[in-house]
Amino acid sequence: MTAIDGLPPLRRVIAEHGLSARKSLGQNFLLDLNLTAKIARQAGDLTGADVLEVGPGPGGLTRGLLAEGARHVLAVEKDARCLPALQDIAAAYPGRLRILNADALKLDPLDHLTPPIRIVANLPYNVGTELLTRWLDPPAWPPAWQSLTLMFQKEVAQRIVATPGSKAYGRLSLLCQWRTDARIVMDLPPEAFTPPPKVRSSVVHLTVRSEPLFPARAATLFGLTAAAFNQRRKMLRAALRGQAPDIVARLEAAGIAPTRRAEELSLTEFCALAREIDRQRT
Ligand code: SAM
Protein backbone atom coordinates (compact mmCIF):
# COMPACT_ATOMS: atom_id res chain seq x y z
CA MET A 1 0.00 0.00 0.00
CA THR A 2 1.31 3.47 -0.85
CA ALA A 3 1.11 6.38 1.60
CA ILE A 4 -0.71 9.70 1.28
CA ASP A 5 2.25 11.18 -0.64
CA GLY A 6 2.24 8.38 -3.24
CA LEU A 7 5.63 7.14 -2.00
CA PRO A 8 6.21 3.56 -0.84
CA PRO A 9 6.05 2.53 2.85
CA LEU A 10 9.31 3.12 4.70
CA ARG A 11 10.01 -0.58 5.26
CA ARG A 12 10.04 -1.03 1.49
CA VAL A 13 12.22 2.09 1.03
CA ILE A 14 14.74 0.66 3.50
CA ALA A 15 14.76 -2.75 1.82
CA GLU A 16 15.02 -1.34 -1.71
CA HIS A 17 17.90 1.00 -0.85
CA GLY A 18 19.71 -1.43 1.46
CA LEU A 19 19.55 0.94 4.44
CA SER A 20 20.55 -1.47 7.19
CA ALA A 21 20.86 0.65 10.36
CA ARG A 22 24.40 1.63 11.36
CA LYS A 23 25.10 1.96 15.05
CA SER A 24 28.07 4.26 14.41
CA LEU A 25 25.64 6.83 12.91
CA GLY A 26 23.06 6.39 15.69
CA GLN A 27 20.52 5.07 13.19
CA ASN A 28 17.23 4.24 14.90
CA PHE A 29 14.62 4.92 12.26
CA LEU A 30 10.98 5.95 12.65
CA LEU A 31 8.98 3.94 10.13
CA ASP A 32 5.41 4.81 11.13
CA LEU A 33 4.30 7.73 8.95
CA ASN A 34 1.43 8.55 11.33
CA LEU A 35 4.00 9.01 14.07
CA THR A 36 6.35 11.13 11.93
CA ALA A 37 3.39 13.34 10.90
CA LYS A 38 2.53 13.74 14.59
CA ILE A 39 6.12 14.80 15.38
CA ALA A 40 6.07 17.23 12.44
CA ARG A 41 2.90 18.81 13.86
CA GLN A 42 4.73 19.44 17.17
CA ALA A 43 7.02 21.82 15.27
CA GLY A 44 4.18 24.35 14.97
CA ASP A 45 2.68 25.90 11.87
CA LEU A 46 4.96 24.86 9.03
CA THR A 47 3.07 26.54 6.21
CA GLY A 48 5.17 29.47 5.05
CA ALA A 49 8.20 28.27 7.05
CA ASP A 50 11.58 26.96 5.94
CA VAL A 51 12.61 23.86 7.88
CA LEU A 52 16.12 22.62 8.55
CA GLU A 53 15.98 18.88 9.17
CA VAL A 54 19.16 17.30 10.44
CA GLY A 55 19.62 13.54 9.96
CA PRO A 56 16.63 12.65 7.73
CA GLY A 57 17.79 9.04 7.19
CA PRO A 58 15.26 7.26 4.93
CA GLY A 59 12.99 10.33 5.21
CA GLY A 60 10.03 9.41 7.43
CA LEU A 61 10.09 12.72 9.28
CA THR A 62 10.96 14.57 6.07
CA ARG A 63 7.77 13.24 4.52
CA GLY A 64 5.83 14.36 7.60
CA LEU A 65 7.29 17.89 7.39
CA LEU A 66 6.46 18.22 3.68
CA ALA A 67 2.97 16.76 4.09
CA GLU A 68 2.35 19.24 6.94
CA GLY A 69 3.01 22.07 4.49
CA ALA A 70 6.62 23.22 5.06
CA ARG A 71 7.52 25.77 2.35
CA HIS A 72 11.04 24.33 1.95
CA VAL A 73 12.92 21.60 3.76
CA LEU A 74 16.71 21.55 3.79
CA ALA A 75 17.74 18.04 4.85
CA VAL A 76 21.34 17.50 6.00
CA GLU A 77 22.31 13.81 6.08
CA LYS A 78 25.78 12.38 6.69
CA ASP A 79 25.07 8.89 5.31
CA ALA A 80 25.29 8.94 1.50
CA ARG A 81 23.35 5.63 1.34
CA CYS A 82 20.18 7.61 2.24
CA LEU A 83 20.44 10.02 -0.71
CA PRO A 84 18.51 8.00 -3.37
CA ALA A 85 15.56 7.53 -0.97
CA LEU A 86 15.60 11.27 -0.18
CA GLN A 87 15.79 12.12 -3.90
CA ASP A 88 12.59 10.11 -4.46
CA ILE A 89 10.89 12.32 -1.86
CA ALA A 90 12.26 15.47 -3.54
CA ALA A 91 10.71 14.28 -6.82
CA ALA A 92 7.32 13.81 -5.13
CA TYR A 93 7.46 17.39 -3.73
CA PRO A 94 8.97 19.40 -6.63
CA GLY A 95 11.07 22.40 -5.58
CA ARG A 96 10.43 21.91 -1.85
CA LEU A 97 13.17 19.54 -0.65
CA ARG A 98 16.88 20.24 -0.87
CA ILE A 99 19.30 17.54 0.26
CA LEU A 100 22.81 18.15 1.55
CA ASN A 101 25.11 15.18 2.06
CA ALA A 102 27.17 16.57 4.95
CA ASP A 103 28.08 16.30 8.61
CA ALA A 104 25.79 18.77 10.41
CA LEU A 105 28.53 19.44 12.96
CA LYS A 106 30.76 20.82 10.20
CA LEU A 107 28.50 23.37 8.51
CA ASP A 108 25.99 26.08 9.35
CA PRO A 109 23.20 25.67 6.80
CA LEU A 110 20.96 28.39 8.28
CA ASP A 111 22.38 30.87 5.71
CA HIS A 112 20.64 28.86 2.98
CA LEU A 113 17.19 29.40 4.50
CA THR A 114 14.71 32.27 4.64
CA PRO A 115 12.91 33.19 7.90
CA PRO A 116 10.70 32.07 9.49
CA ILE A 117 12.95 29.06 10.09
CA ARG A 118 12.12 26.02 12.20
CA ILE A 119 14.66 23.31 13.01
CA VAL A 120 13.55 19.70 13.41
CA ALA A 121 15.74 16.66 14.08
CA ASN A 122 15.78 13.08 15.20
CA LEU A 123 19.51 12.75 15.67
CA PRO A 124 21.95 10.53 17.53
CA TYR A 125 21.76 11.89 21.06
CA ASN A 126 25.35 13.12 21.35
CA VAL A 127 25.08 15.04 18.05
CA GLY A 128 21.69 16.46 19.10
CA THR A 129 23.01 17.87 22.40
CA GLU A 130 26.08 19.36 20.71
CA LEU A 131 23.96 21.07 18.03
CA LEU A 132 21.42 22.26 20.61
CA THR A 133 24.11 24.05 22.62
CA ARG A 134 25.46 25.64 19.42
CA TRP A 135 21.99 26.78 18.30
CA LEU A 136 21.50 28.32 21.76
CA ASP A 137 24.70 30.34 21.54
CA PRO A 138 24.87 32.05 18.12
CA PRO A 139 26.95 35.23 17.64
CA ALA A 140 23.84 37.40 18.16
CA TRP A 141 20.43 36.98 19.79
CA PRO A 142 17.66 36.49 18.62
CA PRO A 143 18.94 33.73 16.32
CA ALA A 144 17.86 33.03 12.72
CA TRP A 145 15.54 30.22 13.87
CA GLN A 146 12.15 30.47 15.51
CA SER A 147 11.84 27.02 17.11
CA LEU A 148 13.71 23.74 17.66
CA THR A 149 11.84 20.43 17.74
CA LEU A 150 14.31 17.75 18.72
CA MET A 151 14.26 14.09 19.75
CA PHE A 152 16.39 13.21 22.78
CA GLN A 153 16.73 10.30 25.09
CA LYS A 154 14.18 10.94 27.82
CA GLU A 155 16.81 11.60 30.48
CA VAL A 156 18.31 14.45 28.39
CA ALA A 157 14.83 15.89 27.71
CA GLN A 158 14.22 15.92 31.47
CA ARG A 159 17.49 17.81 31.98
CA ILE A 160 16.37 20.45 29.47
CA VAL A 161 13.14 21.27 31.35
CA ALA A 162 14.35 20.58 34.93
CA THR A 163 13.83 23.07 37.78
CA PRO A 164 16.12 23.85 40.77
CA GLY A 165 16.44 21.17 43.42
CA SER A 166 15.83 18.25 41.06
CA LYS A 167 18.52 15.75 40.15
CA ALA A 168 18.18 16.58 36.45
CA TYR A 169 18.72 20.34 36.97
CA GLY A 170 21.98 21.60 35.52
CA ARG A 171 23.73 23.73 32.95
CA LEU A 172 21.61 22.45 30.05
CA SER A 173 18.39 23.43 31.91
CA LEU A 174 19.69 26.97 32.41
CA LEU A 175 20.99 27.44 28.86
CA CYS A 176 17.73 26.24 27.35
CA GLN A 177 15.33 28.02 29.68
CA TRP A 178 17.18 31.35 29.59
CA ARG A 179 16.74 31.80 25.85
CA THR A 180 13.78 29.57 24.99
CA ASP A 181 10.51 28.30 26.29
CA ALA A 182 11.24 24.54 26.43
CA ARG A 183 8.60 21.82 26.77
CA ILE A 184 8.49 18.04 26.45
CA VAL A 185 5.73 17.46 23.90
CA MET A 186 5.90 13.69 23.26
CA ASP A 187 7.27 10.52 24.86
CA LEU A 188 8.20 7.55 22.69
CA PRO A 189 8.88 3.96 23.75
CA PRO A 190 11.89 2.09 22.28
CA GLU A 191 9.53 0.05 20.03
CA ALA A 192 8.67 3.20 18.06
CA PHE A 193 12.12 2.90 16.41
CA THR A 194 13.77 0.35 14.13
CA PRO A 195 15.98 -1.00 15.59
CA PRO A 196 14.73 -0.10 19.10
CA PRO A 197 17.25 1.84 21.25
CA LYS A 198 17.82 0.78 24.88
CA VAL A 199 16.12 3.86 26.36
CA ARG A 200 12.88 5.82 26.08
CA SER A 201 12.90 9.00 23.98
CA SER A 202 11.14 12.35 24.15
CA VAL A 203 10.50 15.17 21.71
CA VAL A 204 11.34 18.61 23.10
CA HIS A 205 9.95 21.77 21.50
CA LEU A 206 11.91 24.94 22.24
CA THR A 207 10.45 28.29 21.15
CA VAL A 208 12.80 31.24 20.88
CA ARG A 209 12.50 34.08 23.39
CA SER A 210 13.20 37.35 21.56
CA GLU A 211 14.88 38.55 24.78
CA PRO A 212 16.45 36.14 27.29
CA LEU A 213 14.28 35.61 30.37
CA PHE A 214 16.52 37.81 32.62
CA PRO A 215 19.27 40.21 31.55
CA ALA A 216 22.86 38.92 31.67
CA ARG A 217 25.88 38.73 29.38
CA ALA A 218 25.85 35.29 27.73
CA ALA A 219 29.61 34.65 28.12
CA THR A 220 29.53 35.47 31.86
CA LEU A 221 26.40 33.41 32.50
CA PHE A 222 27.69 30.40 30.54
CA GLY A 223 31.09 30.58 32.31
CA LEU A 224 29.38 30.74 35.70
CA THR A 225 27.03 27.84 35.06
CA ALA A 226 29.87 25.67 33.71
CA ALA A 227 32.01 26.33 36.80
CA ALA A 228 29.11 25.96 39.24
CA PHE A 229 27.83 22.64 37.85
CA ASN A 230 31.30 21.16 37.28
CA GLN A 231 31.41 20.95 41.08
CA ARG A 232 27.70 20.84 41.80
CA ARG A 233 28.08 19.40 45.32
CA LYS A 234 30.49 22.13 46.45
CA MET A 235 29.41 25.38 48.03
CA LEU A 236 29.31 28.24 45.53
CA ARG A 237 32.09 30.17 47.29
CA ALA A 238 34.44 27.25 46.45
CA ALA A 239 32.99 26.17 43.06
CA LEU A 240 33.07 29.76 41.72
CA ARG A 241 36.44 30.76 43.16
CA GLY A 242 37.95 31.24 39.69
CA GLN A 243 35.10 33.44 38.43
CA ALA A 244 35.94 36.64 40.34
CA PRO A 245 38.66 37.56 42.87
CA ASP A 246 36.02 38.67 45.41
CA ILE A 247 33.43 35.98 44.67
CA VAL A 248 32.06 35.89 48.24
CA ALA A 249 31.32 39.63 48.10
CA ARG A 250 29.78 39.27 44.61
CA LEU A 251 27.52 36.43 45.78
CA GLU A 252 26.41 38.45 48.79
CA ALA A 253 25.79 41.56 46.64
CA ALA A 254 23.55 39.41 44.41
CA GLY A 255 21.62 38.26 47.49
CA ILE A 256 22.99 34.68 47.36
CA ALA A 257 24.42 32.99 50.45
CA PRO A 258 27.98 31.79 49.51
CA THR A 259 27.26 28.47 51.26
CA ARG A 260 24.53 27.51 48.79
CA ARG A 261 25.11 24.97 45.99
CA ALA A 262 24.62 25.25 42.21
CA GLU A 263 21.69 22.83 42.10
CA GLU A 264 19.65 25.10 44.43
CA LEU A 265 20.18 28.32 42.48
CA SER A 266 17.44 29.56 40.15
CA LEU A 267 17.97 31.04 36.70
CA THR A 268 17.09 34.51 37.98
CA GLU A 269 19.76 34.15 40.73
CA PHE A 270 22.42 32.98 38.25
CA CYS A 271 21.60 36.00 36.05
CA ALA A 272 21.77 38.37 39.05
CA LEU A 273 25.21 36.98 39.91
CA ALA A 274 26.40 37.32 36.28
CA ARG A 275 25.32 40.99 36.27
CA GLU A 276 27.02 41.58 39.61
CA ILE A 277 30.31 40.11 38.34
CA ASP A 278 30.13 42.19 35.14
CA ARG A 279 29.25 45.38 37.07
CA GLN A 280 32.45 44.95 39.04
CA ARG A 281 34.51 44.42 35.87
CA THR A 282 33.44 47.68 34.20
N1 SAM B 1 15.17 11.17 10.92
C1 SAM B 1 15.22 9.74 10.63
C2 SAM B 1 14.07 9.05 11.31
O1 SAM B 1 13.47 9.70 12.19
O2 SAM B 1 13.80 7.90 11.02
C3 SAM B 1 16.56 9.13 11.04
C4 SAM B 1 16.88 9.23 12.51
S1 SAM B 1 18.37 8.43 13.02
C5 SAM B 1 18.11 8.49 14.78
C6 SAM B 1 19.66 9.66 12.91
C7 SAM B 1 20.06 10.10 11.51
O3 SAM B 1 21.05 11.11 11.60
C8 SAM B 1 20.66 8.99 10.66
O4 SAM B 1 20.10 9.00 9.38
C9 SAM B 1 22.16 9.34 10.61
O5 SAM B 1 22.80 8.88 9.44
C10 SAM B 1 22.10 10.84 10.68
N2 SAM B 1 23.31 11.48 11.24
C11 SAM B 1 24.10 11.01 12.24
N3 SAM B 1 25.10 11.89 12.52
C12 SAM B 1 24.90 12.94 11.67
C13 SAM B 1 25.61 14.16 11.46
N4 SAM B 1 26.68 14.47 12.19
N5 SAM B 1 25.17 15.01 10.50
C14 SAM B 1 24.07 14.69 9.76
N6 SAM B 1 23.38 13.55 9.91
C15 SAM B 1 23.79 12.68 10.86
Side-chain angles (χ1 to χ4, degrees):
M1 209 180 77
T2 50
I4 189 173
D5 50 18
L7 292 159
L10 284 158
R11 278 191 200 284
R12 196 177 340 139
V13 172
I14 285 187
E16 278 172 5
H17 295 286
L19 299 178
S20 52
R22 290 206 174 136
K23 215 174 169 179
S24 61
L25 285 166
Q27 292 182 333
N28 302 98
F29 299 132
L30 291 166
L31 303 185
D32 176 348
L33 288 167
N34 290 319
L35 185 59
T36 59
K38 197 169 161 194
I39 297 171
R41 284 196 289 277
Q42 304 300 332
D45 183 9
L46 297 181
T47 51
D50 276 10
V51 178
L52 169 64
E53 188 196 358
V54 191
L61 187 52
T62 321
R63 287 164 67 171
L65 294 166
L66 289 161
E68 288 302 313
R71 177 174 56 192
H72 291 119
V73 176
L74 174 61
V76 181
E77 173 56 60
K78 191 172 172 183
D79 185 354
R81 294 179 312 152
C82 298
L83 301 186
L86 294 169
Q87 275 145 10
D88 289 346
I89 304 173
Y93 290 93
R96 291 176 56 200
L97 173 60
R98 193 165 154 215
I99 305 151
L100 269 183
N101 181 204
D103 181 339
L105 293 169
K106 295 198 177 138
L107 83 172
D108 183 3
L110 288 176
D111 302 343
H112 299 281
L113 299 174
T114 311
I117 298 169
R118 295 188 184 271
I119 300 180
V120 180
N122 173 18
L123 273 171
Y125 300 123
N126 54 343
V127 181
T129 315
E130 170 64 33
L131 285 174
L132 170 63
T133 48
R134 288 189 197 179
W135 286 324
L136 287 172
D137 193 18
W141 198 265
W145 51 266
Q146 193 174 73
S147 67
L148 309 170
T149 308
L150 310 172
M151 182 86 71
F152 290 103
Q153 68 188 76
K154 190 171 179 182
E155 175 260 324
V156 176
Q158 285 169 333
R159 280 168 45 206
I160 291 174
V161 301
T163 48
S166 64
K167 229 172 90 189
Y169 183 59
R171 185 161 186 255
L172 194 59
S173 329
L174 290 158
L175 300 192
C176 292
Q177 294 170 32
W178 186 50
R179 285 181 153 170
T180 73
D181 178 28
R183 286 157 206 262
I184 295 179
V185 289
M186 266 176 90
D187 279 325
L188 288 93
E191 313 79 74
F193 301 86
T194 304
K198 288 201 175 67
V199 292
R200 291 183 73 82
S201 304
S202 301
V203 177
V204 185
H205 183 66
L206 304 100
T207 314
V208 70
R209 295 187 196 279
S210 50
E211 292 280 336
L213 202 49
F214 308 106
R217 206 170 66 92
T220 312
L221 181 66
F222 293 175
L224 268 180
T225 53
F229 284 100
N230 273 347
Q231 305 185 71
R232 61 187 289 144
R233 305 243 162 258
K234 281 203 175 163
M235 289 179 192
L236 290 167
R237 67 177 178 216
L240 297 180
R241 194 173 289 143
Q243 299 301 301
D246 53 350
I247 191 64
V248 170
R250 296 300 104 231
L251 281 159
E252 282 168 349
I256 302 163
T259 50
R260 289 175 68 196
R261 294 176 167 77
E263 58 203 8
E264 305 162 2
L265 226 59
S266 66
L267 178 53
T268 176
E269 289 176 308
F270 268 110
C271 290
L273 180 58
R275 289 196 302 275
E276 194 52 49
I277 288 177
D278 280 335
R279 202 169 61 80
Q280 222 36 40
R281 277 188 190 141
T282 51

